[in-house]
Amino acid sequence: MEDIDSHIEEDVTAGLIEHFEAGGWTTATERFSDDGSGRIDLLVEHPAIGRIGIEIKTLHGYSGRSYADGIAQLLRYRELEFDGEPLDYWVFDPVVENRRRLGSHGGPNFKQFQDLMQAMANRLGLGYLNHFSEELVFRASHSRLAIPVADPETVSAEMLASIDELVTKRNQELPGKQGDER
């Protein structure tokens, strides 16, 4: 399964690089943190947005293991520095290997599954790469906070401030973070 996953992730990464670079982003793959303790799949940067680490994980149907592994990896890495600086945002990209299997046995359809995964990532202060809308999505309750991959210059200062506020709030709510009383 590992070889299949790595080929899927390589194909997804190549497609993402093409889309990000077309939108004026710079990209770098397989980047190690300064202390060598972490490696992200894709680092993207845009002057209007900042630096974003993207972790790509292949999911097999409703398997939660790969999803949980990817989220746990991002939570460990969020304090790390890359090229002497922390990253501005972290984004999760769960790639579903076979969407047709989703919902085929009376379970939720792909859209419901995607919404659940996005909500979980966002609750932890992470963004979520939506391949359909080609956006890095952050949301707070019913608000939609998103950065379009193709047009990052269209993101307003207010939108970035809202994303920053959301990410900061979510990070403070995590167990073990300063101010957490759990």
Side-chain angles (χ1 to χ4, degrees), residues 78 94 101 124 143 145 149 168:
R78 68 173 37 182
R101 286 193 348 215
L124 295 169
S143 319
L145 304 174
V149 171
T168 299

Side-chain angles (χ1 to χ4, degrees), residues 22-92:
W25 300 79
T26 57
T27 62
T29 59
E30 307 272 330
R31 295 301 299 266
F32 282 89
S33 63
D34 292 351
D35 68 1
S37 67
R39 183 192 59 78
I40 56 174
D41 294 322
L42 184 61
L43 188 144
V44 298
E45 186 172 1
H46 193 280
I49 305 299
R51 296 170 5 122
I52 301 171
I54 300 175
E55 181 59 33
I56 302 165
K57 286 288 184 215
T58 304
L59 307 183
H60 304 282
Y62 286 116
S63 170
R65 181 177 175 162
S66 293
Y67 182 79
D69 289 347
I71 293 291
Q73 189 173 344
L74 288 177
L75 292 175
R76 284 191 316 270
Y77 291 177
R78 68 173 37 182
E79 304 296 325
L80 299 177
E81 292 189 351
F82 294 80
D83 302 321
E85 298 179 36
L87 300 184
D88 297 298
Y89 305 107
W90 289 91
V91 172
F92 186 60

Side-chain angles (χ1 to χ4, degrees), residues 1-176:
M1 202 60 95
E2 185 75 31
D3 283 340
I4 293 171
D5 289 356
S6 64
H7 289 300
I8 291 170
E9 290 173 17
E10 286 172 11
D11 291 346
V12 168
T13 301
L16 289 177
I17 289 170
E18 184 177 317
H19 286 292
F20 275 99
E21 289 179 351
W25 300 79
T26 57
T27 62
T29 59
E30 307 272 330
R31 295 301 299 266
F32 282 89
S33 63
D34 292 351
D35 68 1
S37 67
R39 183 192 59 78
I40 56 174
D41 294 322
L42 184 61
L43 188 144
V44 298
E45 186 172 1
H46 193 280
I49 305 299
R51 296 170 5 122
I52 301 171
I54 300 175
E55 181 59 33
I56 302 165
K57 286 288 184 215
T58 304
L59 307 183
H60 304 282
Y62 286 116
S63 170
R65 181 177 175 162
S66 293
Y67 182 79
D69 289 347
I71 293 291
Q73 189 173 344
L74 288 177
L75 292 175
R76 284 191 316 270
Y77 291 177
R78 68 173 37 182
E79 304 296 325
L80 299 177
E81 292 189 351
F82 294 80
D83 302 321
E85 298 179 36
L87 300 184
D88 297 298
Y89 305 107
W90 289 91
V91 172
F92 186 60
D93 182 15
V95 178
V96 178
E97 169 205 24
N98 186 350
R99 290 184 195 155
R100 286 176 290 193
R101 286 193 348 215
L102 299 178
S104 63
H105 301 297
N109 64 29
F110 177 71
K111 177 68 174 134
Q112 291 168 318
F113 185 62
Q114 181 184 40
D115 287 347
L116 175 65
M117 291 187 297
Q118 180 177 336
M120 290 173 62
N122 290 162
R123 182 69 181 111
L124 295 169
L126 306 171
Y128 179 95
L129 181 60
N130 185 318
H131 284 263
F132 296 116
S133 64
E134 294 186 353
E135 296 175 308
L136 307 170
V137 180
F138 299 81
R139 63 179 173 185
S141 301
H142 300 293
S143 319
R144 181 171 172 79
L145 304 174
I147 299 168
V149 171
D151 297 311
E153 296 89 5
T154 63
V155 176
S156 68
E158 293 81 17
M159 175 72 77
L160 279 179
S162 294
I163 293 171
D164 290 344
E165 183 179 318
L166 174 69
V167 169
T168 299
K169 178 182 178 205
R170 298 296 193 219
N171 285 337
Q172 290 172 346
E173 293 171 349
L174 290 174

